[in-house]
Amino acid sequence: MTSLTRRQFLINSSVLAVGLGLWHKPIDAKTYDILITGDDDLRYNLQKIAVPRGLVKITLHHIGTSLRDHHGHNVVITKKEDLVPVAIASQVAGIDHDYIPPNDHRVLAHTSLIGGGDTTSITFDTSNWQQADYVFFCSVPGHWTVMRGDFIID
């Protein structure tokens, strides 16, 4: 059995907390902050996000090296029942619209499309969202089948 240095322990603990969806913190008394990373292997670091009602800030950081136009990522939030129809509409919207269907009421929040090394964020209010099952996903064609998770409002 090997012993961990303090630095290794802190890194491993942070990775575990992020992987388990535990790295959620209030920015201030009114905004809840979520960090999501996406990589070149079509993975988010989180599979579930739980937030209280109110203001939520999602920051997406693409930790890969792929270009925006070739393997970019975004984050889209919809009701679970709207996932597939919005994903299909996203393909039609195309890269010129960041794979976000314009003026689609089913898209409740979304970030912009980013490439490797880039970061984007969006702040939105969940106070008036209905009680429902929500999901977050990358709407780039093909990505949504694996890059997705539950978005839960506590």
Side-chain angles (χ1 to χ4, degrees), residues 102-114:
N103 305 313
D104 191 324
H105 70 278
R106 300 170 298 184
V107 175
L108 304 173
H110 67 86
T111 66
S112 59
L113 181 68
I114 59 171

PDB file of all heavy atoms in Angstrom, residues 102-114:
ATOM      1  N   PRO A 102     -32.963  27.900 -32.496  1.00  0.00           N
ATOM      2  CA  PRO A 102     -33.369  29.262 -32.131  1.00  0.00           C
ATOM      3  C   PRO A 102     -34.828  29.328 -31.671  1.00  0.00           C
ATOM      4  O   PRO A 102     -35.697  28.672 -32.243  1.00  0.00           O
ATOM      5  CB  PRO A 102     -33.188  30.057 -33.426  1.00  0.00           C
ATOM      6  CG  PRO A 102     -32.301  29.227 -34.287  1.00  0.00           C
ATOM      7  CD  PRO A 102     -32.518  27.800 -33.881  1.00  0.00           C
ATOM      8  N   ASN A 103     -35.053  30.099 -30.645  1.00  0.00           N
ATOM      9  CA  ASN A 103     -36.407  30.362 -30.136  1.00  0.00           C
ATOM     10  C   ASN A 103     -37.194  29.108 -29.774  1.00  0.00           C
ATOM     11  O   ASN A 103     -38.422  29.093 -29.876  1.00  0.00           O
ATOM     12  CB  ASN A 103     -37.198  31.198 -31.144  1.00  0.00           C
ATOM     13  CG  ASN A 103     -36.478  32.470 -31.501  1.00  0.00           C
ATOM     14  OD1 ASN A 103     -36.001  33.183 -30.620  1.00  0.00           O
ATOM     15  ND2 ASN A 103     -36.371  32.759 -32.791  1.00  0.00           N
ATOM     16  N   ASP A 104     -36.515  28.073 -29.348  1.00  0.00           N
ATOM     17  CA  ASP A 104     -37.187  26.823 -28.965  1.00  0.00           C
ATOM     18  C   ASP A 104     -37.511  26.877 -27.474  1.00  0.00           C
ATOM     19  O   ASP A 104     -36.606  26.870 -26.633  1.00  0.00           O
ATOM     20  CB  ASP A 104     -36.292  25.629 -29.273  1.00  0.00           C
ATOM     21  CG  ASP A 104     -37.011  24.302 -29.163  1.00  0.00           C
ATOM     22  OD1 ASP A 104     -37.875  24.160 -28.267  1.00  0.00           O
ATOM     23  OD2 ASP A 104     -36.705  23.397 -29.955  1.00  0.00           O
ATOM     24  N   HIS A 105     -38.796  26.942 -27.153  1.00  0.00           N
ATOM     25  CA  HIS A 105     -39.227  27.065 -25.749  1.00  0.00           C
ATOM     26  C   HIS A 105     -38.835  25.869 -24.886  1.00  0.00           C
ATOM     27  O   HIS A 105     -38.840  25.956 -23.665  1.00  0.00           O
ATOM     28  CB  HIS A 105     -40.742  27.281 -25.684  1.00  0.00           C
ATOM     29  CG  HIS A 105     -41.527  26.070 -26.076  1.00  0.00           C
ATOM     30  ND1 HIS A 105     -41.770  25.733 -27.388  1.00  0.00           N
ATOM     31  CD2 HIS A 105     -42.094  25.105 -25.326  1.00  0.00           C
ATOM     32  CE1 HIS A 105     -42.464  24.612 -27.430  1.00  0.00           C
ATOM     33  NE2 HIS A 105     -42.679  24.206 -26.193  1.00  0.00           N
ATOM     34  N   ARG A 106     -38.489  24.757 -25.507  1.00  0.00           N
ATOM     35  CA  ARG A 106     -38.085  23.566 -24.748  1.00  0.00           C
ATOM     36  C   ARG A 106     -36.670  23.695 -24.192  1.00  0.00           C
ATOM     37  O   ARG A 106     -36.313  22.987 -23.255  1.00  0.00           O
ATOM     38  CB  ARG A 106     -38.188  22.318 -25.629  1.00  0.00           C
ATOM     39  CG  ARG A 106     -39.601  22.062 -26.136  1.00  0.00           C
ATOM     40  CD  ARG A 106     -39.620  20.987 -27.183  1.00  0.00           C
ATOM     41  NE  ARG A 106     -38.824  21.404 -28.347  1.00  0.00           N
ATOM     42  CZ  ARG A 106     -38.702  20.705 -29.467  1.00  0.00           C
ATOM     43  NH1 ARG A 106     -39.322  19.542 -29.593  1.00  0.00           N
ATOM     44  NH2 ARG A 106     -37.964  21.158 -30.473  1.00  0.00           N
ATOM     45  N   VAL A 107     -35.872  24.589 -24.773  1.00  0.00           N
ATOM     46  CA  VAL A 107     -34.517  24.842 -24.275  1.00  0.00           C
ATOM     47  C   VAL A 107     -34.643  25.843 -23.132  1.00  0.00           C
ATOM     48  O   VAL A 107     -34.954  27.005 -23.337  1.00  0.00           O
ATOM     49  CB  VAL A 107     -33.597  25.392 -25.388  1.00  0.00           C
ATOM     50  CG1 VAL A 107     -32.233  25.757 -24.814  1.00  0.00           C
ATOM     51  CG2 VAL A 107     -33.463  24.373 -26.515  1.00  0.00           C
ATOM     52  N   LEU A 108     -34.410  25.379 -21.925  1.00  0.00           N
ATOM     53  CA  LEU A 108     -34.608  26.209 -20.736  1.00  0.00           C
ATOM     54  C   LEU A 108     -33.383  27.036 -20.385  1.00  0.00           C
ATOM     55  O   LEU A 108     -33.502  28.125 -19.822  1.00  0.00           O
ATOM     56  CB  LEU A 108     -35.004  25.317 -19.561  1.00  0.00           C
ATOM     57  CG  LEU A 108     -36.250  24.466 -19.827  1.00  0.00           C
ATOM     58  CD1 LEU A 108     -36.478  23.501 -18.686  1.00  0.00           C
ATOM     59  CD2 LEU A 108     -37.461  25.350 -20.056  1.00  0.00           C
ATOM     60  N   ALA A 109     -32.213  26.530 -20.718  1.00  0.00           N
ATOM     61  CA  ALA A 109     -30.957  27.252 -20.508  1.00  0.00           C
ATOM     62  C   ALA A 109     -29.902  26.581 -21.375  1.00  0.00           C
ATOM     63  O   ALA A 109     -30.003  25.387 -21.672  1.00  0.00           O
ATOM     64  CB  ALA A 109     -30.543  27.211 -19.041  1.00  0.00           C
ATOM     65  N   HIS A 110     -28.900  27.351 -21.784  1.00  0.00           N
ATOM     66  CA  HIS A 110     -27.809  26.765 -22.569  1.00  0.00           C
ATOM     67  C   HIS A 110     -26.585  27.665 -22.537  1.00  0.00           C
ATOM     68  O   HIS A 110     -26.690  28.877 -22.379  1.00  0.00           O
ATOM     69  CB  HIS A 110     -28.231  26.508 -24.016  1.00  0.00           C
ATOM     70  CG  HIS A 110     -28.487  27.765 -24.793  1.00  0.00           C
ATOM     71  ND1 HIS A 110     -27.478  28.458 -25.433  1.00  0.00           N
ATOM     72  CD2 HIS A 110     -29.619  28.473 -25.009  1.00  0.00           C
ATOM     73  CE1 HIS A 110     -27.991  29.524 -26.019  1.00  0.00           C
ATOM     74  NE2 HIS A 110     -29.292  29.565 -25.770  1.00  0.00           N
ATOM     75  N   THR A 111     -25.429  27.033 -22.674  1.00  0.00           N
ATOM     76  CA  THR A 111     -24.189  27.775 -22.838  1.00  0.00           C
ATOM     77  C   THR A 111     -23.906  27.906 -24.328  1.00  0.00           C
ATOM     78  O   THR A 111     -24.585  27.286 -25.154  1.00  0.00           O
ATOM     79  CB  THR A 111     -22.996  27.053 -22.179  1.00  0.00           C
ATOM     80  OG1 THR A 111     -22.742  25.829 -22.886  1.00  0.00           O
ATOM     81  CG2 THR A 111     -23.243  26.776 -20.708  1.00  0.00           C
ATOM     82  N   SER A 112     -22.876  28.634 -24.653  1.00  0.00           N
ATOM     83  CA  SER A 112     -22.417  28.680 -26.035  1.00  0.00           C
ATOM     84  C   SER A 112     -21.560  27.443 -26.307  1.00  0.00           C
ATOM     85  O   SER A 112     -21.184  26.713 -25.390  1.00  0.00           O
ATOM     86  CB  SER A 112     -21.635  29.973 -26.296  1.00  0.00           C
ATOM     87  OG  SER A 112     -20.535  30.055 -25.427  1.00  0.00           O
ATOM     88  N   LEU A 113     -21.259  27.214 -27.561  1.00  0.00           N
ATOM     89  CA  LEU A 113     -20.416  26.107 -27.998  1.00  0.00           C
ATOM     90  C   LEU A 113     -18.959  26.538 -27.879  1.00  0.00           C
ATOM     91  O   LEU A 113     -18.595  27.620 -28.340  1.00  0.00           O
ATOM     92  CB  LEU A 113     -20.751  25.758 -29.450  1.00  0.00           C
ATOM     93  CG  LEU A 113     -20.005  24.605 -30.087  1.00  0.00           C
ATOM     94  CD1 LEU A 113     -20.394  23.282 -29.438  1.00  0.00           C
ATOM     95  CD2 LEU A 113     -20.299  24.567 -31.586  1.00  0.00           C
ATOM     96  N   ILE A 114     -18.127  25.692 -27.260  1.00  0.00           N
ATOM     97  CA  ILE A 114     -16.719  26.046 -27.060  1.00  0.00           C
ATOM     98  C   ILE A 114     -15.808  24.902 -27.489  1.00  0.00           C
ATOM     99  O   ILE A 114     -16.218  23.744 -27.552  1.00  0.00           O
ATOM    100  CB  ILE A 114     -16.421  26.419 -25.596  1.00  0.00           C
ATOM    101  CG1 ILE A 114     -16.760  25.256 -24.648  1.00  0.00           C
ATOM    102  CG2 ILE A 114     -17.151  27.694 -25.212  1.00  0.00           C
ATOM    103  CD1 ILE A 114     -16.287  25.462 -23.217  1.00  0.00           C
TER     104      ILE A 114
END
